[in-house]
Amino acid sequence: DLMSPNGKASPFSECRINGSLGHCSDEDTMTLRPHRKHRDYIEASVCHVKDLENGQIREVDLGTGRALLIKEHGEFFAMGHKCPHYGAPLVKGVLSKGHVRCPWHGACFNITTGDIEDFPGLDSLPTFQVRVEKEKVIIRANKQALQTQRRSKAMSKCSAVIHSSTGFSHVLIIGSGPAGLVCAETLRQEGFTDRIVMCTMDTHLPYDRPKLSKCLESTAEQLQLRSSDFFQMHDIEILLEKEIVSVDVKTRTVTFRDGFKMEYRKLFIATGSRPKPLSYKGKDVGNVFHLRTPEDANSIATLASSKNAVIVGTSFIGMEVAAALTDKAHSVSVIGIEAVPFRKALGEKVGKALMKLFESNRVKFYMLNEVWEMRGHNGQLKEVVLKSGKVLRADVCVIGIGSSPATAFLKQSGVHMDSRGFIPVNKTMQTNIDGVFAGGDVVTFPLALRSNKKVNIPHWQMAHVHGRVAALSIMGKASDIKTVPYFWTAMFGKSIRYAGYGDGFDDVVIQGDLDELKFVAFYTNQAFIIIKMITPKIISNLDKEMIMLLYIIMKYSFLFYGTILLQ
């Protein structure tokens, strides 16, 4: 596999001569305007018309850049060849029904418009003019678009003249993660011209948080998703280091910790999650971290250099940090309360295989164990004491035992929350309160592929989807969530890609070689299949032998809740 930007192996006009109208991006339509100079474009013959069969894609060279050439239903299309998310080569992706899906993280692009239609990622692809002359396929492309390989959708601007200190916003977004950012951008893309304010407790503009645990030395600027100029250009206001302490849905007002109040017409809650605290002796000892910010990641990397690092918890974040530290730290130790890491999410078989991978890279596990005490010297961590009595040398400790929704500020608001603090929403991301929407890690939402069961899926990709659906709902353009949940990680040059929702699986079917870590795992639930396929009415009319026969048949007929591919 090619390398992704995080340094780990990637998880994977004119009329056309064929009679169809040319499909152009906003950038390409500018070619017809007289002020666009010819030297800004390049035109090249890239192949013979018969070189591509229907359903084929090819990366082609135009001299000053490359493009993705596509043939479907007898028509040719050309677009950017790299996914704008992490730069994956789309030629290795999948073409289906007018869309190309990224091979690494599953983003999906319309081959006609170049628009992103499934996430993760914020930008779309440029598209280029294609024509056929004398059996040759010719592409005309903007040189700058060939270099950038990305295109932002056209956005409207705020038409109202509003002073930044005004205590009213037509749409107030709480949180600056992917759900909040995509919500704001979608509103502008869909023509929303009123005020949009995003507020966040963070000190930085929105950044790529999944990279924190993989690239510990990255700065906030390197991880930044959008520049300050972008927000200013598109009239999206961001209030940094602003914590909301209460919401009054009757007066449609939020109150900040500093006493400032802001009224809203529509509210989108996307505050994400908070790390679960760990109970232990020695809370005053330094160099113990919950990984939340770029500064945390930078400190962990510095303190672990040639020193002893201890990771508490076998969550994905904790294990990613452990993997990232193996080439920096003198020793890396992982403490887990279960016998095998990843067991709940990936099952025991896959968990054991991944545990061996970590052990082969000098990671020491202390499973079926918990932390009793953090011991320090001059205020700095020196030892981690386990409840078993084992004492581990430690110069830095990272706690990753899970998270809980950051919704405490809503307790007296009237916005309904379940016993765990999650906000139930409907398929349009609306809460029980009219005009109040929520998305991302804080919600349980109806998942279509699980018969609209309310689920919580704290994936980066799903947060993007929630933000877009919420924005469309705010504008009265309600749209269902149709995407398939998708998760990825990368450790020691191996990439894990997980599609679906496997909660409640009772069997794991492995195809491939677990020892070689080249396999596909299917997560199944046989009881669910039987309940779905055999209704109580039918069962009452069957004898015991027939019921047993049906059970045996169903035992080998799998309903795939989730699929993991490891390469």
Side-chain angles (χ1 to χ4, degrees):
D1 283 343
L2 297 176
M3 301 299 286
S4 63
N6 63 15
K8 305 294 182 181
S10 58
F12 300 169
S13 154
E14 301 165 6
C15 286
R16 297 181 189 273
I17 303 303
N18 61 14
S20 65
L21 291 175
H23 301 293
C24 303
S25 66
D26 295 336
E27 182 73 19
D28 287 316
T29 56
M30 299 175 75
T31 63
L32 302 180
R33 300 175 188 174
H35 70 274
R36 298 296 292 181
K37 297 179 181 179
H38 180 72
R39 65 172 178 269
D40 294 336
Y41 289 80
I42 186 168
E43 195 170 281
S45 173
V46 293
C47 70
H48 190 275
V49 70
K50 293 183 179 179
D51 286 346
L52 261 69
E53 299 292 333
N54 278 320
Q56 283 190 317
I57 55 180
R58 175 182 293 184
E59 196 174 291
V60 295
D61 192 352
L62 277 70
T64 60
R66 302 181 73 82
L68 190 71
L69 181 64
I70 303 159
K71 187 176 183 181
E72 191 170 63
H73 303 306
E75 290 187 59
F76 287 94
F77 305 82
M79 60 199 297
H81 71 101
K82 289 184 178 180
C83 178
H85 180 225
Y86 278 1
L90 293 176
V91 70
K92 295 180 179 291
V94 176
L95 171 66
S96 177
K97 299 179 181 179
H99 298 84
V100 170
R101 191 170 287 276
C102 172
W104 288 2
H105 307 128
C108 194
F109 302 91
N110 187 303
I111 65 172
T112 299
T113 64
D115 287 349
I116 185 170
E117 294 187 352
D118 203 357
F119 302 96
L122 299 171
D123 289 321
S124 297
L125 290 169
T127 56
F128 311 119
Q129 295 179 20
V130 185
R131 70 177 189 275
V132 177
E133 286 184 0
K134 297 179 181 179
E135 302 295 297
K136 296 291 185 181
V137 178
I138 299 170
I139 296 177
R140 185 172 190 264
N142 179 276
K143 291 180 181 178
Q144 184 178 358
L146 281 175
Q147 294 302 313
T148 60
Q149 289 291 316
R150 63 180 63 230
R151 170 180 61 86
S152 295
K153 291 183 181 179
M155 297 189 191
S156 60
K157 295 182 71 68
C158 182
S159 60
V161 179
I162 302 174
H163 193 272
S164 60
S165 62
T166 302
F168 171 78
S169 180
H170 296 85
V171 174
L172 178 60
I173 299 170
I174 311 177
S176 62
L181 181 56
V182 171
C183 179
E185 291 197 22
T186 301
L187 287 170
R188 288 288 185 245
Q189 291 164 2
E190 295 294 322
F192 187 80
T193 58
D194 288 324
R195 191 184 191 192
I196 300 172
V197 174
M198 296 175 64
C199 59
T200 175
M201 293 172 58
D202 218 319
T203 59
H204 304 292
L205 293 175
Y207 58 89
D208 194 343
R209 191 179 293 273
K211 283 187 179 180
L212 283 183
S213 52
K214 304 178 184 71
C215 309
L216 296 168
E217 293 164 330
S218 298
T219 65
E221 290 72 25
Q222 292 170 329
L223 300 177
Q224 198 172 83
L225 295 172
R226 295 297 197 198
S227 67
S228 57
D229 289 343
F230 178 92
F231 292 108
Q232 186 172 357
M233 182 185 305
H234 300 295
D235 291 334
I236 299 171
E237 300 174 54
I238 296 191
L239 306 179
L240 300 177
E241 300 181 78
K242 296 287 283 187
E243 180 183 2
I244 290 179
V245 294
S246 66
V247 175
D248 188 330
V249 298
K250 292 181 179 179
T251 62
R252 299 197 174 196
T253 304
V254 302
T255 302
F256 294 86
R257 184 165 294 282
D258 61 7
F260 180 67
K261 294 187 177 182
M262 179 172 283
E263 296 180 33
Y264 63 85
R265 187 169 294 164
K266 303 285 185 181
L267 182 67
F268 181 52
I269 303 166
T271 43
S273 56
R274 297 182 186 278
K276 286 183 178 178
L278 179 69
S279 177
Y280 58 89
K281 291 176 62 178
K283 288 283 187 178
D284 57 337
V285 174
N287 297 347
V288 179
F289 296 86
H290 290 281
L291 178 55
R292 290 293 298 166
T293 68
E295 289 77 15
D296 290 338
N298 298 164
S299 296
I300 291 166
T302 300
L303 291 167
S305 180
S306 301
K307 297 294 183 63
N308 303 295
V310 172
I311 313 298
V312 182
T314 56
S315 65
F316 279 98
I317 289 178
M319 296 297 280
E320 286 171 355
V321 172
L325 289 178
T326 53
D327 61 354
K328 299 179 179 66
H330 172 70
S331 70
V332 178
S333 303
V334 174
I335 304 164
I337 61 173
E338 295 190 328
V340 177
F342 303 118
R343 188 190 66 81
K344 184 177 180 181
L346 304 180
E348 190 161 338
K349 295 177 185 176
V350 176
K352 284 183 177 179
L354 293 174
M355 188 173 179
K356 289 180 181 179
L357 172 66
F358 275 76
E359 289 174 331
S360 68
N361 283 276
R362 301 188 307 108
V363 175
K364 178 70 174 177
F365 285 92
Y366 297 88
M367 305 303 287
L368 299 175
N369 241 309
E370 295 181 66
V371 173
W372 172 252
E373 182 181 5
M374 301 280 189
R375 291 177 181 169
H377 178 70
N378 294 329
Q380 303 305 310
L381 179 68
K382 289 301 175 185
E383 293 177 333
V384 174
V385 183
L386 307 184
K387 288 187 178 179
S388 64
K390 180 71 176 179
V391 179
L392 307 180
R393 294 176 62 187
D395 299 288
V396 60
C397 179
V398 181
I399 299 173
I401 60 172
S403 60
S404 56
T407 53
F409 68 100
L410 294 171
K411 285 184 178 179
Q412 307 298 324
S413 68
V415 175
H416 178 64
M417 293 185 289
D418 66 18
S419 59
R420 299 174 298 166
F422 292 107
I423 306 170
V425 295
N426 62 19
K427 63 182 180 180
T428 67
M429 308 311 295
Q430 182 161 285
T431 68
N432 63 306
I433 305 296
D434 183 49
V436 178
F437 301 81
D441 293 6
V442 298
V443 304
T444 58
F445 67 98
L447 184 62
L449 63 85
R450 291 293 294 270
S451 302
N452 290 318
K453 175 184 176 181
K454 289 285 184 73
V455 299
N456 171 254
I457 302 179
H459 294 350
W460 187 252
Q461 169 246 19
M462 285 306 305
H464 286 68
V465 177
H466 291 171
R468 177 162 178 78
V469 172
L472 293 174
S473 299
I474 287 171
M475 295 193 67
K477 303 177 182 180
S479 174
D480 293 356
I481 299 173
K482 297 178 181 178
T483 193
V484 174
Y486 191 89
F487 170 82
W488 74 89
T489 186
M491 295 171 286
F492 303 116
K494 296 292 183 180
S495 61
I496 297 175
R497 291 173 278 173
Y498 186 105
Y501 180 71
D503 186 54
F505 67 90
D506 59 18
D507 196 12
V508 182
V509 182
I510 304 293
Q511 292 184 359
D513 193 326
L514 271 174
D515 291 332
E516 292 293 324
L517 292 177
K518 294 180 179 179
F519 65 91
V520 179
F522 299 98
Y523 295 83
T524 73
N525 186 300
Q526 293 156 20
F528 178 82
I529 299 171
I530 294 171
I531 292 170
K532 281 288 185 179
M533 298 297 293
I534 309 175
T535 67
K537 183 176 180 181
I538 295 175
I539 288 177
S540 66
N541 295 323
L542 297 176
D543 57 30
K544 291 182 179 179
E545 287 78 8
M546 184 59 70
I547 292 175
M548 183 57 66
L549 177 61
L550 282 171
Y551 176 79
I552 293 171
I553 292 172
M554 297 314 298
K555 182 175 176 62
Y556 296 99
S557 301
F558 303 108
L559 176 68
F560 300 141
Y561 273 8
T563 304
I564 178 175
L565 174 64
L566 191 146
Q567 293 182 335

